[in-house]
Amino acid sequence: MWETHDTVVLTGGLLVLCMGLWATGLVAEIVTALLFFALAMLLKLAPATTVFSGFSSSAFWLVTSGMVVGLAMNRTGLGARLARALSDRLPDSYPGFIAGLVAFSFLLAFVMPSNLGRIALMIPVVMAICDAYGLAPGRPGRTGALLAFGIATPMLSAAILPANVPNLVMAGTAETLFGIHLAYLPYLWLHAPVLAVVKGAILTLCTVLIFPDRIPGGHAVPEPLPPLSGPERRLGVILFGMLALWMSDGLHHIPPAWIGLAAAVIVMLPRVGVLPADAFGQVPLKTCFYVAALFGLTAVVNETGLGRDIGHALLAVAPLEPGHLAKNLATLTGIAVGFLFAATANGAPALYTALAGELAQASGLDLMTVVMAQVVGYSTILLPYQAPPIIMSMELGRVSLADATRLTLASGFVSLVIAAPLAFLWWRLIGRLP
């Protein structure tokens, strides 16, 4: 084994390398993930049980099961049916149209726990809905509709525990390092009123102001939907059972990951399910390996002592003082937002949560509050590259980076000024803060 100092230095180099590659996208995420596993083992930075600990995390299995469920919704047509049902109910006013898309993005996250899966399914559907409403290519309303849905997908889903990768990274890291187990309904009650409702309203308002338009004379009436197929009915029952068990975890204490995994198994069972077993080969496991590598990197950083050293350096400049609640919460939110620029929304929770113990001690806040404060930060997207689903929606919808940046900067800045203080005020009202 290397000497302790050398191990810390090498771990720091590996951390910078991996986070830099993930942030810049110079190589594919899966290549960086495999590079981490290879270098960590070749350099003997930590035991294999630590390096590969991400594969034993519940978050890894929830991401995997979410991919299977998303594939099933695409294959059966249930996802497209939900989208059609949405298009039939959207208002003919442009602000109502945008608000409806934003709301649907949030509601879809309850039953389809994969940001990229929702983007892949819905962006083509949103484009078709825009055509039906007369928002042709080149119109600002079409750009606004595509970006509103694309940004709402990662931003608002932060309020639902199993609905996106950053939440799972945060939950998995907190479980691995501190033994913290997050429950579905308490998490939803803590975050949804502000991070979903208020931020959804902010995103809608910014979209309407930056991309002003109108619905030209109503929308075309689509053909009536065919009756539900057998696979759609069976998948609907499976999804209903999964969601019911997620929402009642306070009664049975089964973690969301194992409920999701059971749903994925049922989806692929003969006769009962809706997918053949070989359909698993179409699941994009690269995202799952990426999550496992993030957890493993965090565990290595913690075990080698690098996390402690980074925490001490950060605390030396961070204005955290016990008894200064507002300043401490603003600082914690700022730290979480700052990590977005270096590690994107998927990697930021791993870095922040690894430092939560040190941050709690310096601020005088309890550990759970410190861990939860980051959600307010990493759900505030300021630049498109910080959230891969936004980049994917830009590519599928053929939207320019300049237009996406205008909306992310505006909605992100307004969220920091308005939504962040309201979130902590809500926490105080429900007793999360003194």
Side-chain angles (χ1 to χ4, degrees), residues 26-378:
L26 292 177
V27 298
E29 290 179 345
I30 183 60
V31 175
T32 304
L34 296 176
L35 177 66
F36 159 71
F37 293 128
L39 289 180
M41 294 306 298
L42 288 172
L43 297 175
K44 300 181 179 179
L45 299 181
T49 52
T50 301
V51 175
F52 297 102
S53 60
F55 290 101
S56 63
S57 167
S58 60
F60 170 82
W61 292 104
L62 188 52
V63 170
T64 304
S65 59
M67 296 291 184
V68 175
V69 171
L71 179 62
M73 291 190 70
N74 278 317
R75 284 283 194 91
T76 61
L78 183 59
R81 180 181 292 273
L82 291 175
R84 272 287 307 277
L86 161 72
S87 67
D88 293 344
R89 291 167 174 77
L90 287 174
D92 286 336
S93 70
Y94 178 62
F97 175 73
I98 297 297
L101 288 176
V102 170
F104 184 71
S105 171
F106 175 67
L107 295 175
L108 189 60
F110 281 97
V111 296
M112 193 174 182
S114 168
N115 276 343
L116 294 178
R118 294 195 298 278
I119 291 294
L121 170 70
M122 282 298 301
I123 289 299
V125 174
V126 173
M127 295 171 71
I129 294 174
C130 287
D131 291 337
Y133 275 73
L135 298 174
R139 291 190 63 135
R142 187 185 186 92
T143 301
L146 291 166
L147 285 176
F149 189 89
I151 296 171
T153 296
M155 178 189 291
L156 306 190
S157 62
I160 306 170
L161 181 57
N164 65 24
V165 171
N167 286 3
L168 301 179
V169 172
M170 179 264 296
T173 307
E175 179 184 355
T176 300
L177 300 183
F178 308 114
I180 293 177
H181 300 281
L182 302 177
Y184 187 94
L185 281 181
Y187 182 94
L188 185 68
W189 177 242
L190 184 68
H191 293 299
V194 175
L195 299 191
V197 178
V198 174
K199 293 185 78 168
I202 289 173
L203 177 59
T204 299
L205 179 62
C206 289
T207 302
V208 171
L209 292 177
I210 295 174
F211 302 104
D213 209 331
R214 62 182 181 82
I215 303 297
H219 66 282
V221 179
E223 293 292 327
L225 287 168
L228 278 168
S229 66
E232 285 179 295
R233 291 179 186 276
R234 294 198 301 275
L235 181 58
V237 172
I238 294 170
L239 292 177
F240 178 81
M242 181 181 72
L243 184 59
L245 288 171
W246 275 349
M247 298 183 69
S248 59
D249 62 353
L251 299 176
H252 52 68
H253 305 293
I254 302 174
W258 313 138
I259 297 170
L261 184 57
V265 171
I266 296 172
V267 160
M268 294 187 292
L269 285 177
R271 299 186 180 180
V272 177
V274 298
L275 290 177
D278 58 5
F280 188 79
Q282 299 178 30
V283 172
L285 291 177
K286 61 182 181 180
T287 302
C288 306
F289 272 71
Y290 168 60
V291 171
L294 275 175
F295 291 157
L297 179 57
T298 302
V300 171
V301 166
N302 184 66
E303 184 162 317
T304 59
L306 177 62
R308 182 185 63 251
D309 294 342
I310 294 175
H312 289 157
L314 185 62
L315 291 172
V317 297
L320 293 171
E321 298 179 63
H324 294 73
L325 183 61
K327 183 171 72 171
N328 289 338
L329 292 173
T331 301
L332 293 174
T333 304
I335 291 172
V337 171
F339 279 144
L340 287 176
F341 290 92
T344 74
N346 289 346
L351 293 178
Y352 179 102
T353 309
L355 303 176
E358 300 278 354
L359 296 173
Q361 185 177 4
S363 64
L365 297 171
D366 65 277
L367 184 60
M368 179 63 82
T369 297
V370 171
V371 171
M372 289 294 97
Q374 68 178 302
V375 182
V376 179
Y378 69 64

Side-chain angles (χ1 to χ4, degrees), residues 155-156 190-191 193-203 333 376-377 379-380 411-427:
M155 178 189 291
L156 306 190
L190 184 68
H191 293 299
V194 175
L195 299 191
V197 178
V198 174
K199 293 185 78 168
I202 289 173
L203 177 59
T333 304
V376 179
S379 65
T380 304
S411 59
F413 177 77
V414 176
S415 293
L416 280 178
V417 174
I418 296 177
L422 286 178
F424 296 125
L425 177 61
W426 169 248
W427 290 15

Side-chain angles (χ1 to χ4, degrees), residues 123 127 137-140 142-148 150-151 210-211 383-385 389-409:
I123 289 299
M127 295 171 71
R139 291 190 63 135
R142 187 185 186 92
T143 301
L146 291 166
L147 285 176
I151 296 171
I210 295 174
F211 302 104
L383 295 173
Y385 86 90
I390 298 178
I391 299 298
M392 185 176 181
S393 64
M394 289 167 48
E395 294 174 353
L396 293 175
R398 295 184 288 277
V399 176
S400 71
L401 178 62
D403 284 337
T405 302
R406 289 164 62 198
L407 187 52
T408 54
L409 275 175

